[in-house]
Amino acid sequence: MRKAVAAAAVLTPLLLAVALPPTAASAASPYKGANTPAVQDDFNGDGYRDLAVGAPDAANGSVEEAGAVVVLYGAASSVSTTHRAVITQATAGVPGDPEEMDAFGTTVTSADLDRDGYADLIVGTPNEKVGTKDSRGAVTVVWGGPNGLSGGASISVPAGYGAGRTYCGFGNSLATGDVNGDGAPELSVGSRCEGASYSGPFTRTGKAASNYLDSRYGETRGVVMGDVNGDGKAERFWLPGPADDDLRGSVYVDNGPPTDDFTENRPTELPYADGHAGQIGDINGDGYGDLVTGIAADDSLMNATGAAHSGGEIQVLYGSAQGISADQQPQVFHQDTAGVPGAAEDGDEFGQSLSVGDVNADGYADVLVGSPGEAVGTLKSAGTAVLLRGSASGLTTAKAVGYTQNTAGIPGAAETGDQFGATVHLADLNKDGKAETVVGVPTENTDGCLWTAHGSTSGPVLSGSVNLCGKSAGITVKNTKGYFGAALTSPHVSN
């Protein structure tokens, strides 16, 4: 089994499904086939995608670092901090109790798990203590509906999970997708122990139609789901993370649950591919999803040789009618790649976060890459985000743009340690066909912030772009920073 090495990570009771409640709307009909934005991100069924934001170090009353998730509801004017819900483990109907250092909201994703036409919020709390076991981890679902999010359930671990181990961090990564094409999304959960997979639909008690434990990969740092062969069903990719013999991290295609016959459903390793986190989108517009992975930790961060290119990198594997083949060589981008803004420097963490979406409605998905360790002038770890454009020939550096808080039109100013780009997200939140650009700045001030910009035919619109910060979004901050923006539904590398 691969032996993982150490790597860098990433309220008075807030309940409230607080909000200035979202406008009620009729539910969409339950969907058939792969996840679509209308049912994957729309918690209140009003036709606008919503934005889930983790604030894992938010306080809950006197309880430090209990954690919270803020949902900013989409609208014709995009998201704002006034049209929101704040969810914590003190929220009525949400399982568990706010405890110190739980970090509820370390990871977030969404899907219509019960297939009622409303997206459901899925929250990872990998630091959750379960019984006497520290950082055993937990995953919680909060149900969507015509009035937004309410009620919840725990997703139980499969039998035998983490046998004899304590610091598993269940919920360390999350992914959803319709693997079997029955219209009910599957949920996959990564951890420092085994991976867990669940088939929908789910009942309101959190029980899946079926589940299984998968220990074939050892640690499962990352998991990605999406359709790369155009059959309307999602493929599942497991990214075990760095290991002593492979600091860059292996990538496996899941071919089905384990059986007593070791050779049956055996995963396919992609030997030329690497990654610690990833996402799927159609970059070259050919109708097949493409896999983008990030490897942020270079030799300087791993204290070893053989890790990512200096400063970090991303890789792209292109889908086809045959999916992604084992002999495919990935396309690699880093800050020494011609046309990529910036310069590769140790510890930049290029690829710490990434997101795939179409910012200009040209039919090609673009890739936004966070580099929170990037220095801006002499300001260490002020952070940057780089937008690379999709095209018929694949991901390109043509018209690539880098953004920092010193970029004209972006509110605020770059400061040491802000970590602009710790998370990034591309999603059409105002239903104009062009993805908004969202960048997390979790160590901005004491609460953390998001930078959001509308999309346009020429890309993100900086004029009029805004910062949305944790305190105005309803989180409580005490003696530690709240880390609002530390998790979005697009992936970031965590431990």
Side-chain angles (χ1 to χ4, degrees), residues 50-331:
D50 305 316
L51 180 64
V53 186
D57 286 1
N60 196 304
S62 62
V63 182
E64 294 282 2
E65 301 177 50
V69 177
V70 179
V71 171
L72 305 176
Y73 288 100
S77 57
S78 191
V79 294
S80 72
T81 57
T82 58
H83 193 202
R84 69 175 192 254
V86 181
I87 308 295
T88 77
Q89 288 180 300
T91 299
V94 174
D97 296 298
E99 297 169 313
E100 189 170 302
M101 299 181 69
D102 270 356
F104 179 84
T106 296
T107 53
V108 292
T109 193
S110 60
D112 183 10
L113 293 184
D114 59 354
R115 212 163 52 157
D116 65 351
Y118 300 99
D120 306 308
L121 174 67
I122 306 160
V123 183
T125 313
N127 287 354
E128 179 89 17
K129 185 175 182 178
V130 178
T132 61
K133 295 183 177 180
D134 292 331
S135 297
R136 177 75 166 178
V139 173
T140 303
V141 56
V142 185
W143 304 109
N147 295 313
L149 293 157
S150 64
S154 295
I155 304 296
S156 298
V157 298
Y161 173 78
R165 286 173 283 177
T166 298
Y167 298 98
C168 283
F170 185 70
N172 197 56
S173 58
L174 303 167
T176 59
D178 185 5
V179 172
N180 56 16
D182 67 351
E186 276 65 56
L187 168 66
S188 296
V189 181
S191 75
R192 290 184 290 273
C193 294
E194 304 95 335
S197 293
Y198 301 81
S199 292
F202 288 69
T203 69
R204 283 294 180 108
T205 65
K207 182 176 176 58
S210 63
N211 66 60
Y212 65 87
L213 187 65
D214 201 335
S215 59
R216 292 174 294 185
Y217 313 96
E219 178 183 5
T220 49
R221 179 172 181 157
V223 58
V224 189
M225 297 172 74
D227 182 6
V228 298
N229 62 6
D231 66 354
K233 303 175 185 178
E235 282 70 51
R236 181 187 290 111
F237 298 82
W238 288 107
L239 284 60
D244 288 342
D245 59 349
D246 185 2
L247 297 180
R248 300 167 65 82
S250 300
V251 178
Y252 290 92
V253 183
D254 186 353
N255 292 315
T259 70
D260 292 338
D261 181 350
F262 177 74
T263 63
E264 188 177 15
N265 295 344
R266 190 170 182 176
T268 301
E269 183 172 10
L270 303 180
Y272 302 109
D274 311 286
H276 299 163
Q279 194 170 49
I280 290 170
D282 187 3
I283 292 168
N284 57 4
D286 64 356
Y288 303 106
D290 308 310
L291 174 64
V292 185
T293 61
I295 318 158
D298 57 22
D299 290 358
S300 71
L301 296 176
M302 297 297 289
N303 295 315
T305 58
H309 183 90
S310 175
E313 65 184 81
I314 66 166
Q315 298 186 359
V316 185
L317 290 163
Y318 293 95
S320 69
Q322 293 74 44
I324 294 173
S325 63
D327 61 356
Q328 186 177 155
Q329 298 273 354
Q331 188 181 17

Side-chain angles (χ1 to χ4, degrees), residues 14 58 95 101 165 167 203 241 254 261 346 355 367 370 381 384 394-396 443 446 457 475 480:
L14 278 177
M101 299 181 69
R165 286 173 283 177
Y167 298 98
T203 69
D254 186 353
D261 181 350
D346 284 352
S355 188
V367 178
S381 296
T384 186
L395 196 61
T396 175
T443 46
T446 61
T457 54
I475 72 164
T480 57

Side-chain angles (χ1 to χ4, degrees), residues 338-339 387-390 395-401:
L387 181 67
L388 303 176
R389 301 301 184 92
L395 196 61
T396 175
T397 61
K399 299 183 181 179
V401 184

Side-chain angles (χ1 to χ4, degrees), residues 450-477:
L450 295 176
W451 171 60
T452 66
H454 289 292
S456 74
T457 54
S458 58
V461 180
L462 305 192
S463 177
S465 64
V466 296
N467 277 345
L468 306 175
C469 297
K471 289 180 180 177
S472 65
I475 72 164
T476 297
V477 176

